Amino acid sequence: MTNTENVKKPAKTPRVDMPCQPAAVRAHNFKEVALGYSLEQAQLEASRCLQCKNPRCRQGCPVEVRIPEFIAQVVKGDIAEAYRILKSTNSLPAVCGRVCPQENQCEGKCILGVKGEPVAIGRLERFVADNAMHDPCVGVSDNDACAVTNPDLKVACIGSGPSSITVAGYLAARGIKVTVFEALHEAGGVLIYGIPAFRLPKDVVAAELDGLRQNNVEFRTNWVGGRTVSVQQLFDEGYKAVFIGVGAGLPQFLGIPGENLIGVFSANEYLTRVNLGRAYDFPNFDTPTYPGKHVTVFGAGNVAMDAARTALRLGAESSTIIYRRSRAEMPARHEEIEHAEEEGVKLFELVGPLHFNASESGVLKSVTLQRMALGEPDASGRRRPMPIEGEVFEHETDLAVVAVGTRSNPILLEATPGLELNKRGYIVVNEETGETSIPNVFAGGDIVTGAATVILAMGAGRKAAQEIAKRLLG
């Protein structure tokens, strides 16, 4: 697309910053925060790659993206070939380029990061996908197979999140017919109902799903696993294998007094209403949200940051994160924390909730908070927050969002006899194949690991898909 004569040598080139909307502007709209690289910026950043003979970056990727290879094609300006390389292992590059924690995975392994800044692998992945996904059959698999060549071989996926989509893409590329059953009215799982449009635009997810549809993947919405459809029913209908990728969508709560007050929401409900229900586009979509002037979010993961930033965009005068530990222990991506603070989200560290307080009309008016100090490490390896005696205060809030994690939804699990679960209620699988205790029933993603990342769910889906393909195709 352009020559590379003026591209600088990698060792002398600083990391190319991602252009973003100004914080004061983006805090009031749901348009994507990051604007993406231009071709010139992408080539300059790609030129920093050292093309290591033993690429540690690939070892850090759960789906083993051929990172140096696709980056080399970006330097040449051959975006179509870069996309083909990406899609040979990754079904959702436009998604992964936006929401994966690259700093802990591929970029965390980059040799340039030892003494400086790693190559911006995620940003380059996004650039390639955004510029090439108009052609869904480019680079779908190593042999670019897009047609159903084995009509008698059918595989079902229950749930349409990242793990199931990865299974569907991998098998469809090998000529196997895949049907995805989704409980909600729109496919995409957490990519649709959980992640806000300012981080992951809905049209990006739609484009990725459309690519799968053009590869003969069928999506059936409003099919609830364990109710509308069961595992045994799918086998009775001729499916040769079933993949369970239903996520872990049952919210956890704080377990403190007043949690049932009007004005206290789980992050699941709050974000699903805004994202899946398109409440961010009210009144074009008739899904109003609960109004909150002073919003308080409990938790410090990516979901908590999403909720706090969403509240500002919906018109909140203040949005505050409450976290029992310190900033150093916050599990959210550093970039998300920084973006939240730039937009005006306040962070209350070393503070824990004691109880919610009601107004005379019975709605939330405040939360009583306890100041904490960090003690000895607990089972998670992090220092345990300990209350400081007498350090209690009240924080005014009229909308509280609880974002302290999720657990497995038992509907499908209880309706599937013989499915082995662990003590936390998640599905037990063979680590090498993803197979459950039921032959030819596989599982992956949050329903196996508990709440984790999109790319880890995709890695589990890819592992299961490889085993399914091996069994069905020989």
Side-chain angles (χ1 to χ4, degrees), residues 387-407:
I388 301 175
E389 186 175 353
E391 293 287 333
V392 176
F393 65 100
E394 193 168 334
H395 174 67
E396 178 186 352
T397 182
D398 55 358
L399 172 58
V401 181
V402 180
V404 293
T406 57
R407 50 200 172 101

Side-chain angles (χ1 to χ4, degrees), residues 263-379:
V264 181
F265 293 81
S266 70
N268 296 54
E269 180 179 357
Y270 184 69
L271 290 174
T272 297
R273 179 175 287 271
V274 175
N275 298 328
L276 180 68
R278 305 296 198 273
Y280 64 85
D281 197 17
F282 181 81
N284 293 324
F285 287 83
D286 192 13
T287 311
T289 57
Y290 186 87
K293 289 185 178 180
H294 302 289
V295 178
T296 305
V297 179
F298 298 87
N302 290 329
V303 173
M305 298 301 155
D306 287 344
R309 298 171 68 191
T310 292
L312 288 179
R313 287 161 169 79
L314 292 174
E317 294 178 11
S318 68
S319 182
T320 305
I321 292 279
I322 303 292
Y323 187 49
R324 298 184 306 157
R325 292 183 170 91
S326 70
R327 184 190 181 104
E329 285 81 32
M330 288 184 175
R333 296 183 66 188
H334 298 312
E335 182 178 76
E336 302 307 324
I337 297 173
E338 291 171 0
H339 281 174
E341 287 188 304
E342 290 169 0
E343 292 164 9
V345 173
K346 301 173 184 176
L347 303 180
F348 279 14
E349 306 170 40
L350 294 169
V351 176
L354 292 178
H355 53 82
F356 292 108
N357 308 306
S359 67
E360 293 181 358
S361 59
V363 301
L364 178 68
K365 72 168 186 177
S366 67
V367 59
T368 301
L369 301 173
Q370 166 78 62
R371 295 197 186 279
M372 317 290 278
L374 294 180
E376 295 299 315
D378 60 16

